[in-house]
Amino acid sequence: MTVIGTIASHSALQILRGAKEEGFKTMLVCDRGRKKLYERFGLADEYVFVDKFGDVLKKEVQQELIDKEVIMVPHGSFVEYVGARELLNFKVPMFGNKNVLVWESDRKKGQTWFKKARLKIPKEFKDPSEINRPALVKYPGARGGRGYALVKNEKEFKERVGKMGKGMLIQEYIVGTRFYPHFFFSPLSKENEIMGIDIRYESNVDGLSGLPEILHMAPTYVITGNIPVMMRESLLAKVFDMADSLIKASQELFYPGLKGPYCIELVCTDTLELYLFEISARIVAGTNVWVPGSPYTYFKYGKEISTGRRIAMEIKRAIKQDKLDEIVT
Amino acid sequence: MTVIGTIASHSALQILRGAKEEGFKTMLVCDRGRKKLYERFGLADEYVFVDKFGDVLKKEVQQELIDKEVIMVPHGSFVEYVGARELLNFKVPMFGNKNVLVWESDRKKGQTWFKKARLKIPKEFKDPSEINRPALVKYPGARGGRGYALVKNEKEFKERVGKMGKGMLIQEYIVGTRFYPHFFFSPLSKENEIMGIDIRYESNVDGLSGLPEILHMAPTYVITGNIPVMMRESLLAKVFDMADSLIKASQELFYPGLKGPYCIELVCTDTLELYLFEISARIVAGTNVWVPGSPYTYFKYGKEISTGRRIAMEIKRAIKQDKLDEIVT
Amino acid sequence: MTVIGTIASHSALQILRGAKEEGFKTMLVCDRGRKKLYERFGLADEYVFVDKFGDVLKKEVQQELIDKEVIMVPHGSFVEYVGARELLNFKVPMFGNKNVLVWESDRKKGQTWFKKARLKIPKEFKDPSEINRPALVKYPGARGGRGYALVKNEKEFKERVGKMGKGMLIQEYIVGTRFYPHFFFSPLSKENEIMGIDIRYESNVDGLSGLPEILHMAPTYVITGNIPVMMRESLLAKVFDMADSLIKASQELFYPGLKGPYCIELVCTDTLELYLFEISARIVAGTNVWVPGSPYTYFKYGKEISTGRRIAMEIKRAIKQDKLDEIVT
């Protein structure tokens, strides 16, 4: 009997609840400190306790998960704590194509992917001397958070950042509204489905709004939560086109490409142009705002479906159709 | 058999889903470019393809819609692409009173309506020389978007706008929180119902918040999405009073007045005064955030009802009571 | 037959709808001006009309409520209009422990409580001369609203506030994202449950964001509405720990302590530290955004449960278990 499992953080509550809705048993890889939190919700049928999440790679832990027929669902904290490259050697079946996690976590690979998909992305400045408009300097490894600096020209770059470092990315700062649409690409039906959209609620930048400038400090972008949002329906066709292109490009770059849940990170200018600045190639925490379901899944299904549940639905169908190998790696 | 139809944009997904929930067949007027988007959701039983939305006025298109017993539901893009005055000659039955669309799209008529309803509106400056506080200059035809300028005095008006033009409106800028409550006035029960409230998510103004002032540019107000919001319950009685007054005034100004869904656009100061600055006299895109339902419709109905579904419910009741002529024009 | 009642404001619609969902009859204490609003929703089986909400203390009103076996559910407006100390002499059974309302409405008692719970709170400046960073001056009695001033040093304090007054509180201004998690502590199961989280939508501060600095005025913080938000799952364990500590401290300070719904008001810095700045020891209006239910209640219950309904569920269980005295005072 297939069991759906994940690691105790990020969107684990949603993944487990979705699994239960589709009739699966659930397994949670948990450290002692988080046990109490997850027990409050009563969603895990079984726990594997580890000292730290990285221990999920230990041989005996992997063996237990394999013996219990667990399919692990990766999420942001999973990748962060275990490592995208380390997951390549993980023997437990994982939902989706885990090769994509290497692509999403490497900024250079990401840029290759976006260009292959011919998507509009913010202009990159190869050298600080090229900076001729507001630009965001992204430090290597930083995904959001404090590893960003906002500069307007080379002088500010020198003051705030210093020297151009290895793995640093300098990108034009596009002013506009941010949208984080969540998609699900079904490896079984080959359909791209929109699951919902959120806006990230970031500290300290979202705590600075409305305050007198004099109180302002350099904005930081640490994700602390998510807010639900719906997008103008006339932009939706464009967003789907972008998602379709990314799937197609992924299949060409790393066959069989991206599968399952992902999120494309967009900014929309006041001329309604959409720029892609990042992709998360697994379930994002923003999907939590749309539990039990979003307007988009309600439009499609006539009932409320969360991303966590959508994952479980796909696993269930794959089992019925004897195609589990098409949805896991 | 009555069919519910609309044009493929804005809130079409919601209107079609609502129609299906109430058991109606659906019809979508679509251009080729949008076909793929709407097929993903599978909500249209039939399509009429047009080269551009304005072609819905073509004699043969109208005839097809009439032959198939379609009731068309107007929305913002419908009015924008076809034109409020052109719709007066549209022979296909439309939900609501289409005369109201002429009133909502004409700024002078709007002001007459709001004054008739004795609602508090931002002070109007007839001449740039009168500007003695922050003011918003609205260009003719602009509804939100880039056709707005924010000025503090005559000098700034001259710099940024130039000369006072025909159809321009200069309005006091009221600082406060914006609310866009969605209502439904039932022509059958004569009741005013609140369906939900949203906040507009506008580019670039909502992308500027929290950023250092030095990065700021003149804010623009292009609607790119919508965020759900609930209003302090103690303000709700006032908001209903405003809505009731607008309905009453509409019946006096253009009998039989406003019917069906509409949205009043408010700003709430820190002394809890509510100013009306605009009305949309048809379904607004902000209703999309509350699919399948809002807390307000849940309070009233004990189940979730979207505006799209509420429209279909009214059509269904009208058919049962043989009163279709009371809900369409 | 137990009836669930409340006062016609704040979260009354939610409380009454929740009562109906659990099969209770409902009673609304209402002034004539609000009758129309509440009749639109049809949620009150009976009304007691009063000239002003304070009249709920009148002997004959209390007697009627007692005769009709009403359990009154307190909310923010209830406390504001009637008074926390006055409620101590109210003879009608009230849901929860009404002694807590005295603690939450007294700033000094609040600080004692938070310190007893060993929670991180913003630094307090006892004297204006100590102000060495941005600080919020809270006037006595002001809870949000216009009774706040933002100052950076003693000089600004003198300019904007003048002299240190009795009951004034000067607190370090912590920049970060605000979260208002709603909890329910069950006196029957002794479990702490999270019901949802909101962000307050405040005038004029939330109307100033994105505007050019030159238009800015001193921000004010009058609550006009609420926006739904979800918190990073990895912060949730910390938030539950804070809530558990507050419950424990409340039981030590004023036995039997806090019972039923409450809200802790947090700010999250960009190093993911959580500061507590206030507590509301009864249902908060922010719970209205999560009707009929939030993702958190869906995770726990597998169905949508609002705070209003959760209250009614607790009353129902207490009746079944013959433990009404454990849930009312």
Side-chain angles (χ1 to χ4, degrees), chain A residues 208-247:
Chain A
L208 293 173
S209 77
L211 288 191
E213 172 83 2
I214 200 76
L215 279 189
H216 277 203
M217 35 195 84
T220 50
Y221 304 90
V222 176
I223 304 171
T224 59
N226 304 83
I227 296 169
V229 69
M230 287 292 285
M231 190 183 247
R232 222 174 136 134
E233 196 162 304
S234 57
L235 292 171
L236 214 52
K238 274 195 221 181
V239 173
F240 264 110
D241 285 346
M242 295 173 87
D244 287 351
S245 301
L246 284 164
I247 292 294

Side-chain angles (χ1 to χ4, degrees), chain A residues 7-15 17 21 33-34 36-41 43 77 80-81 146 201-204 206-215 217-218 220-228 285 288-292 304 309, chain C residues 134 150-152 156 173 175-179 191-194 199 205-206 208-210 213 216-217 219 221 227-237 240-241 244 268-272 290 293-302 304:
Chain A
I7 273 183
S9 190
H10 192 270
S11 47
L13 292 168
Q14 185 192 160
I15 291 166
R17 169 54 70 197
E21 286 186 279
R34 295 173 196 239
K36 194 173 165 195
L37 173 67
Y38 287 90
E39 282 179 345
R40 292 178 193 264
F41 291 93
L43 289 167
S77 305
E80 189 187 338
Y81 289 112
R146 287 176 299 278
Y201 186 46
E202 295 169 337
S203 188
N204 63 17
D206 289 318
L208 293 173
S209 77
L211 288 191
E213 172 83 2
I214 200 76
L215 279 189
M217 35 195 84
T220 50
Y221 304 90
V222 176
I223 304 171
T224 59
N226 304 83
I227 296 169
N288 286 332
V289 305
W290 292 118
V291 173
E304 297 190 292
R309 184 170 182 184
Chain C
L150 200 50
V151 300
K152 286 197 319 295
E156 283 193 8
Y173 188 90
V175 174
T177 45
R178 295 163 300 140
F179 287 94
E191 260 187 83
N192 232 343
E193 302 172 22
I194 189 163
I199 305 171
V205 67
D206 289 319
L208 293 173
S209 77
E213 171 83 2
H216 277 203
M217 36 195 84
Y221 304 90
I227 295 169
V229 69
M230 287 292 285
M231 189 182 247
R232 222 173 136 135
E233 196 162 303
S234 57
L235 291 171
L236 214 52
F240 264 110
D241 285 346
D244 287 350
C268 179
T269 69
D270 65 3
T271 52
L272 299 178
W290 291 117
S294 77
Y296 294 118
T297 55
Y298 195 79
F299 291 150
K300 183 169 176 66
Y301 290 97
E304 297 190 292

